[in-house]
Amino acid sequence: MVAAPLFLALASVASFAGGECRPPKDSSEAKLLAFFAAPIAFSPAGHAERLDPGAVRLSFDVTYLPKPAANIRRASYCQRKSENTDLSPIFPRPRLAVGLPGGLYLEGSYLPPVTVMDATPNLGSVALGWTRAMSSNAAGGGTWVGLRAHATFGEVSGPITCAEDALQTSSATRACYGTKPSDDTYEPNMMGGEGIFGWNGGARLSAYVGGGYTSIKPRFQVNFTSQGGTVDDTRVLLDDSRITAFAGGAFKISPRASLTAELYSVPKDVTTIRVGGSWMLRGAP
């Protein structure tokens, strides 16, 4: 699991003056927070088709993390300094989906508080979806439409702003002046809705296209005590929203196992890809 490194880049949006910072939506800080919301958004990730009532599906996907553009890697509002965007190139996530009556399904994901690279994630995601068949044929194919609501919540804590290797004692005017790493917290706070159109190409292949709207309200809390005893408790807040678009699908390699892929885009920020696989624990055809 490499969830924690995803949030290391967010450390640099914090001001070292303390208090609360609400960067404007056109600032580098706001754009960087929004940029890293896309890879952790709880999209369908390959499966959006109907799940029979009582069926249980276990999935795992990995999202590619592109590097932010140079023009948003330098803070422009809370503090003017270069950003740390040396991230892990992937973000993995397990999923569990359960089919419900009436064409509904419930899906969830959880990254437990296991410390990785000095940061401890405790992140959850949940989605409620609905599908309805539009057409079908003798070969087992057809078309369908769906609606899906999703949310991601929780936090990542640890020395995000000033890790061990960033500490320095040569200048009190420079960042991370001290000998004890920070103990910071990042909260993603995302929720949104999506509309989906899909089709089945027979017994093995399913695919879909869709789009939606996501409200993002990330919160970043700095907690760093300098060598002189000054406490930086800056809190960075962003309230924004994004239009999303995606296309994906699944290919069955056996009655229970499938390979999945999805292209996920937030046109204003970034486009990424998710790949993975799934296993039907119960309810396989």
Side-chain angles (χ1 to χ4, degrees):
M1 180 175 60
V2 290
L6 172 64
F7 304 100
L8 296 180
L10 302 176
S12 54
V13 303
S15 165
F16 286 85
E20 186 175 282
C21 180
R22 289 183 176 269
K25 295 179 180 180
D26 61 350
S27 66
S28 297
E29 290 89 338
K31 291 177 180 178
L32 191 62
L33 285 167
F35 181 95
F36 285 109
I40 64 172
F42 199 50
S43 70
H47 279 300
E49 70 277 12
R50 183 177 183 272
L51 198 59
D52 292 336
V56 180
R57 182 180 63 227
L58 177 65
S59 305
F60 183 84
D61 59 88
V62 176
T63 301
Y64 168 64
L65 301 180
K67 189 173 183 178
N71 64 337
I72 67 171
R73 293 203 303 265
R74 183 173 182 81
S76 61
Y77 186 81
C78 293
Q79 183 186 18
R80 298 185 181 277
K81 72 181 191 67
S82 296
E83 312 296 0
N84 172 21
T85 55
D86 185 16
L87 305 179
S88 167
I90 60 173
F91 175 70
R93 175 158 45 198
R95 298 166 178 254
L96 188 68
V98 178
L100 303 174
L104 296 170
Y105 64 89
L106 183 65
E107 186 174 22
S109 175
Y110 178 59
L111 289 172
V114 177
T115 301
V116 178
M117 294 181 65
D118 296 327
T120 305
N122 189 9
L123 290 172
S125 296
V126 64
L128 179 64
W130 169 83
T131 61
R132 179 175 181 176
M134 301 295 291
S135 66
S136 60
N137 56 50
T143 60
W144 47 270
V145 295
L147 298 173
R148 186 174 179 274
H150 63 90
T152 297
F153 46 86
E155 65 180 32
V156 174
S157 60
I160 302 174
T161 301
C162 292
E164 188 75 36
D165 58 358
L167 299 173
Q168 56 86 23
T169 57
S170 59
S171 173
T173 61
R174 289 171 48 205
C176 300
Y177 176 66
T179 58
K180 184 179 180 181
S182 60
D183 183 17
D184 315 307
T185 303
Y186 170 75
E187 303 168 11
N189 300 332
M190 289 188 293
M191 62 186 305
E194 303 160 341
I196 304 170
F197 174 79
W199 60 96
N200 295 322
R204 286 185 173 269
L205 181 67
S206 65
Y208 61 85
V209 295
Y213 171 92
T214 301
S215 171
I216 57 174
K217 296 185 177 182
R219 302 292 187 258
F220 185 78
Q221 178 66 63
V222 179
N223 182 16
F224 176 69
T225 302
S226 72
Q227 184 165 314
T230 301
V231 177
D232 178 8
D233 59 355
T234 303
R235 185 167 175 81
V236 183
L237 304 91
L238 174 66
D239 295 348
D240 210 343
S241 61
R242 289 293 189 268
I243 300 297
T244 64
F246 49 85
F251 179 77
K252 287 187 178 180
I253 58 177
S254 77
R256 289 184 177 272
S258 298
L259 299 176
T260 60
E262 180 184 76
L263 187 69
Y264 184 82
S265 180
V266 180
K268 193 172 182 179
D269 302 312
V270 63
T271 297
T272 187
I273 187 170
R274 312 185 201 278
V275 295
S278 66
W279 180 264
M280 291 296 297
L281 298 178
R282 187 172 66 187

